[in-house]
Amino acid sequence: KFVPSVKKMVRFTPSRGLLLILAAASAARDAAVLACGNVRLDADLAETPDECGPSDSRLTSFQARTMELDRFRAANRALFALAANRTDLVGLQTLSPELGKTPGLVETPFMVEFFPTQATKEHACTPAAPRWKWRREIPFVGVTAMASYGKLEFKQTAEGMNKDGLTVSAQIYRGNVFPHNAVAEEWGLPGWVPDACLPYALLSKYSTVQQIRDEARPGGELANVYRWTVVDLGIPSYHWIVDDATGDHAVIEIVDEKLVFWNNSEIGTVTNDPSFAWHAQNINQYWATSEFLKPDHSLATTSPGTAADPAQSNIPAFGSLPASVGTGMNTRVLPGDYTSASRFQKLFYTKQLSKAGASTTSYAETFANVNALISQTFIPLGVVPGASMNYEWTAWTTMKVYGCGRRQFMYKGYFDLQWKVIDLSDVNFDHPPITINPEEGKETIEDLNLKPVASLGGDGPAAKKPLRMNKGKASKSKANKESNKE
């Protein structure tokens, strides 16, 4: 296989084993559901006009996302199996000489990891770009996945929030159109960032979405985001949900080799394929549901996306959503399956419907509401077939609370459904990584220890006072917990 370059050609000679691996990766790609979900609600928790500081929005955003597992692991195994055959990928072996020296792939579980500031140094977020360098100027907390092959290691950041309130979520997406000439010569040069490294780059250097837009313009640090795999392994790329504490919300995709920023301020929902623009326009297919919305929540009036390159003019406008398209729309009902298109519509409409009854001035109610909304996309293990005879399942869920001075990063795993909170305004960024799903997979069940009174040396019924189920408080673990008035 040939990959064109401005400077030279890098040749790859596929063997029968390589072709089998690529075929398997392609089949896995087509079979996997890749059910990431992302939903956001905004609440006005400020009691005084100047409470939120000079730069933060008055609104506090509660943003939750899920991450479904299987595709990532299958892709890693295909990549390393391919790279282990040194005769198949001469160009890749030259760039990553450790590939193939030591048999055996070592994968670590997803971790919550802390990143302090750091001088410019190499960061291997992909095995194919070990020379990529970046400077960490802003500390952040993120969810990472890591694998090693011999002495070569790579670590990808899938989710995170930095101390200034910028948040990034990388969710699987196949529709990006990357620069065609991004091969070995460009790797490591200023303005060239591997797509797998983009969350790490954004979280460690930028405070606002507008700063990212500015650097994505021609000549900027983010002008060229390229596909990190030099051969087609069938591994999908991502689109990136970026939000900040000033109230700016966007979805980044790559259209015609350049970054495009879709306005996500009012829709507040993202899943996977197809494109964000397609999902936004698909809202109209379930227009009948909007009849049940309160009048002030019936429309999400959106502006078009903006291209990083002013020369791009093919960015569609959405208009007002939802709107009736054609006839018979009153017969459509919300879907309940796990496909990306269905999850997007269910999250969008249930989010809009929830505004009719949920408080927008209560931390506890907004927290509980976002938790309930994102739970709609939770996939139990064994329900959805995935790649390599495995299953898609919701490995972890995060929630980020930012704006009006708040900087909270929360997470929970598949077995342990208790939210853990990290307050980025007061945290030790040198803390060691935390495993989200330990290997033993223990559940967390709280024993209320309601012994009969007789067993305690007394008589009469055990329960002297009823237990109240909903106390109006957001349930979080004690470590680094914010004291709030709710």
Side-chain angles (χ1 to χ4, degrees), residues 171-183:
Q171 297 186 188
I172 295 296
Y173 173 62
R174 300 180 179 88
N176 289 326
V177 179
F178 291 96
H180 292 296
N181 64 334
V183 292

Side-chain angles (χ1 to χ4, degrees), residues 423-439:
D423 190 338
L424 273 73
S425 62
D426 184 23
V427 67
N428 174 19
F429 284 98
D430 291 319
H431 193 282
I434 303 170
T435 303
I436 296 179
N437 287 308
E439 292 296 328

Side-chain angles (χ1 to χ4, degrees), residues 403-415:
C404 197
R406 289 177 173 83
R407 303 286 190 271
Q408 293 178 315
F409 183 88
M410 310 179 199
Y411 69 94
K412 61 181 179 179
Y414 184 86
F415 301 98

Side-chain angles (χ1 to χ4, degrees), residues 173-243:
Y173 173 62
R174 300 180 179 88
N176 289 326
V177 179
F178 291 96
H180 292 296
N181 64 334
V183 292
E185 289 80 358
E186 285 79 24
W187 293 353
L189 295 180
W192 288 86
V193 180
D195 62 336
C197 307
L198 189 60
Y200 177 92
L202 300 182
L203 288 166
S204 61
K205 205 163 187 177
Y206 304 104
S207 300
T208 67
V209 177
Q210 187 56 50
Q211 290 175 355
I212 298 171
R213 289 192 189 97
D214 293 341
E215 289 300 329
R217 293 178 178 139
E221 287 187 308
L222 306 172
N224 296 287
V225 176
Y226 65 89
R227 189 74 182 103
W228 70 268
T229 53
V230 293
V231 294
D232 181 12
L233 299 177
I235 304 172
S237 182
Y238 317 89
H239 50 192
W240 301 270
I241 301 92
V242 291
D243 306 80

Side-chain angles (χ1 to χ4, degrees), residues 321-390:
L321 303 172
S324 178
V325 180
T327 59
M329 298 305 296
N330 62 309
T331 62
R332 292 294 293 265
V333 294
L334 289 179
D337 59 81
Y338 287 120
T339 61
S340 176
S342 295
R343 286 180 286 106
F344 188 103
Q345 300 307 321
K346 190 172 184 179
L347 279 175
F348 171 78
Y349 276 104
T350 53
K351 178 176 77 76
Q352 296 297 102
L353 289 165
S354 72
K355 293 179 180 179
S359 169
T360 58
T361 59
S362 165
Y363 183 105
E365 288 192 38
T366 308
F367 176 93
N369 209 26
V370 173
N371 182 45
L373 288 169
I374 199 63
S375 295
Q376 296 177 108
T377 65
F378 189 93
I379 299 181
L381 181 61
V383 173
V384 178
S388 305
M389 302 303 291
N390 293 318

